[in-house]
Amino acid sequence: MKPRLNKDPKTLLLLGGISSLLWIVLRGVIIHADSPSYIEAAGVVMQGGIDLLRTPAYPFFLGILHAVFGAGIYLYAAIILQHAVFLGSACCLFRMTERLISSRNTAFYLTLFYVLYPFVTSLNNYILTESFSISGVMFLLYLAFRLHERFRWPDALLFPLLASWLLLLKPALIFIIPVFLVFWAGLLFGGVSRKCILAGLAGTLVAAGCLLGYMAAFKHEYGVFSASSVNTLNQYHIARMYGLLDPSRIEDPGVREDLEKSIEEHGERPDDFILLFQEAYHMIQDHTLPVVSREVAACTRQQPVQVLLATGSRLYAAADDPLLVSYVHKSRLGHLFSFHISTLFLFLVIYTLLLVRWMIRNRSIPWLSALLYMLAVSQIVVAVYGAQSDWGRLLLPVLPAYLLMVGQLCAALQARSVQFR
């Protein structure tokens, strides 16, 4: 008699734990190009300061580990904790998938992919925010799911804490504020307990307040109402890349002079990413963040059609970007077996058609499925609009939402009908 595989969280934790252990032992700490900025920001944050580039959540995490374990092994401690938290999020993914689509088999194999696929698991070895952002979004979805079902004080208290931490971990997740406000408000018409809805709305507003408070502190320090300088750097980069920075539209003489020199030397539309990042960084260092932010905003505001065309161009370019592939070794094997954003676009079109069809037939909105859909689409919009490249990595935080949506369609193939909730 053949031994049967127990399709439960214990099996997933065992297999996932073995995978994580192998990654930790055999690969160790992986330093990305962005990693040094987080490590440097840890010193600033631990001294009570506000870093120019990085929000405080991840640098604070690194700073605490540095204080506890010392400089020699604290980065190893970081990746061990990232793997441990990731495995905890896998349990939440299994439970939520099982209850969302009522299929234990689909829940097991979907979560098995999550914990074993190398280009997901390997993210926990990076000194980056991606690991915690993926795990954190999964935990947040699970808390929302539990609050949707029944009011529990621990869930009601953890929801705003986790949402606040995610926003200070990765400000690009700002879209979770409007998405969850729509979700909780929509449940007012969905037969859910008012107590649960009020807890969700209050938690979302608390998280928004925490982010706004930090942005006010950043403005007091650097003169711009923002969570970091990264948005200004990206927008300068994008505007410069697409020829939106016109010296004739620049009011500040210093910025105009430096821009004219750069255009003369590198052209109106350079595509050297390192060059443009360095140019943007030197601009804010030489002319201050508020001045550069104001000039970039003024130039783009005067050219709405060109901005729209540039955004469309990035959307088209993003389709070719790989998903779930190593960011250190761009191996042929990794690219051969990776997904691409174009596949995600096609999947979302299919999901949209099925969701709209279900809503028309049932004359109602399945709010849990709508939540997943809003998160999935919002992440793409924010990534494409706000960043000039590396879209595959920037879409990773809502990976749990994409997987849950895939699980719904997999279950639909078995049942020959889609059941949205």
Side-chain angles (χ1 to χ4, degrees):
M1 185 175 179
K2 293 182 179 180
R4 297 185 64 183
L5 182 67
N6 290 325
K7 298 174 183 177
D8 57 21
K10 291 181 180 179
T11 303
L12 291 168
L13 286 176
L14 175 62
L15 297 175
I18 293 172
S19 173
S20 291
L21 183 62
L22 290 174
W23 273 103
I24 292 168
V25 172
L26 300 179
R27 190 59 183 86
V29 175
I30 301 177
I31 299 296
H32 184 271
D34 289 344
S35 301
S37 62
Y38 289 105
I39 295 171
E40 292 169 10
V44 177
V45 172
M46 293 303 288
Q47 292 175 6
I50 295 176
D51 190 71
L52 179 66
L53 282 174
R54 301 303 177 190
T55 44
Y58 196 67
F60 182 74
F61 165 72
L62 294 178
I64 291 294
L65 293 183
H66 186 278
V68 173
F69 295 101
I73 63 169
Y74 82 102
L75 293 181
Y76 278 92
I79 67 170
I80 290 170
L81 285 173
Q82 287 175 178
H83 274 279
V85 172
F86 173 75
L87 291 175
S89 74
C91 293
C92 292
L93 177 62
F94 176 81
R95 294 300 185 194
M96 188 169 175
T97 307
E98 185 181 34
R99 292 156 77 177
L100 187 65
I101 63 179
S102 302
S103 172
R104 194 174 184 86
N105 279 343
T106 303
F108 178 81
Y109 288 114
L110 194 74
T111 311
L112 190 65
F113 170 85
Y114 182 68
V115 297
L116 292 186
Y117 191 70
F119 302 123
V120 177
T121 312
S122 65
L123 291 167
N124 301 303
N125 284 61
Y126 288 77
I127 303 302
L128 286 175
T129 59
E130 267 62 36
S131 175
F132 280 156
S133 60
I134 293 171
S135 301
V137 167
M138 185 62 251
F139 285 126
L140 193 69
L141 278 170
Y142 189 61
L143 287 173
F145 182 77
R146 284 169 58 89
L147 267 179
H148 168 271
E149 287 188 325
R150 181 165 64 89
F151 180 84
R152 303 173 180 88
W153 274 112
D155 297 338
L157 295 174
L158 284 173
F159 182 82
L161 291 175
L162 180 56
S164 300
W165 187 78
L166 280 171
L167 291 171
L168 294 178
L169 175 78
K170 202 173 187 68
L173 288 171
I174 191 171
F175 60 84
I176 68 175
I177 296 173
V179 164
F180 274 103
L181 286 176
V182 171
F183 171 69
W184 295 117
L187 290 178
L188 288 168
F189 310 98
V192 176
S193 165
R194 293 295 176 93
K195 195 174 183 181
C196 297
I197 294 170
L198 289 176
L201 285 172
T204 305
L205 292 174
V206 166
C210 287
L211 179 62
L212 291 173
Y214 182 79
M215 291 169 70
F218 186 88
K219 181 178 182 180
H220 182 265
E221 184 76 18
Y222 296 107
V224 174
F225 189 70
S226 178
S228 76
S229 64
V230 171
N231 181 60
T232 299
L233 292 172
N234 285 347
Q235 291 307 307
Y236 181 96
H237 191 141
I238 290 169
R240 186 79 172 83
M241 181 190 300
Y242 290 95
L244 300 175
L245 288 182
D246 182 355
S248 65
R249 302 176 189 271
I250 302 293
E251 293 184 1
D252 186 86
V255 174
R256 182 170 59 248
E257 182 181 353
D258 283 354
L259 179 60
E260 287 173 343
K261 290 179 181 177
S262 178
I263 290 175
E264 183 179 350
E265 185 176 354
H266 305 292
E268 291 186 356
R269 298 189 177 194
D271 58 1
D272 186 326
F273 285 85
I274 296 177
L275 166 72
L276 288 178
F277 176 80
Q278 291 174 343
E279 181 178 317
Y281 190 75
H282 286 306
M283 277 287 189
I284 66 172
Q285 290 292 316
D286 295 341
H287 306 290
T288 75
L289 182 61
V291 170
V292 176
S293 179
R294 183 183 68 244
E295 296 296 353
V296 172
C299 280
T300 54
R301 190 168 53 247
Q302 296 173 51
Q303 305 174 82
V305 175
Q306 289 84 348
V307 170
L308 186 61
L309 291 174
T311 304
S313 178
R314 289 198 302 283
L315 183 66
Y316 185 82
D320 289 331
D321 231 31
L323 282 169
L324 306 180
V325 64
S326 171
Y327 294 98
V328 168
H329 300 295
K330 300 290 186 179
S331 65
R332 293 181 179 181
L333 183 65
H335 278 269
L336 181 64
F337 290 102
S338 72
F339 303 93
H340 284 74
I341 295 179
S342 57
T343 308
L344 177 61
F345 288 167
L346 177 61
F347 169 76
L348 287 175
V349 169
I350 296 171
Y351 192 93
T352 302
L353 294 174
L354 293 173
L355 182 61
V356 171
R357 180 170 176 264
W358 190 96
M359 289 192 294
I360 293 173
R361 280 190 170 187
N362 293 273
R363 297 181 180 180
S364 64
I365 298 176
W367 281 106
L368 286 172
S369 297
L371 172 63
L372 299 177
Y373 181 80
M374 288 188 290
L375 289 172
V377 174
S378 297
Q379 179 69 90
I380 293 173
V381 171
V382 169
V384 172
Y385 179 79
Q388 62 275 19
S389 62
D390 211 9
W391 299 287
R393 179 165 69 95
L394 297 176
L395 297 186
L396 287 172
V398 295
L399 175 64
Y402 293 131
L403 290 178
L404 286 164
M405 293 163 71
V406 169
Q408 286 180 302
L409 294 196
C410 288
L413 292 176
Q414 297 174 11
R416 296 186 179 181
S417 65
V418 186
Q419 292 299 320
F420 294 110
R421 287 187 59 188

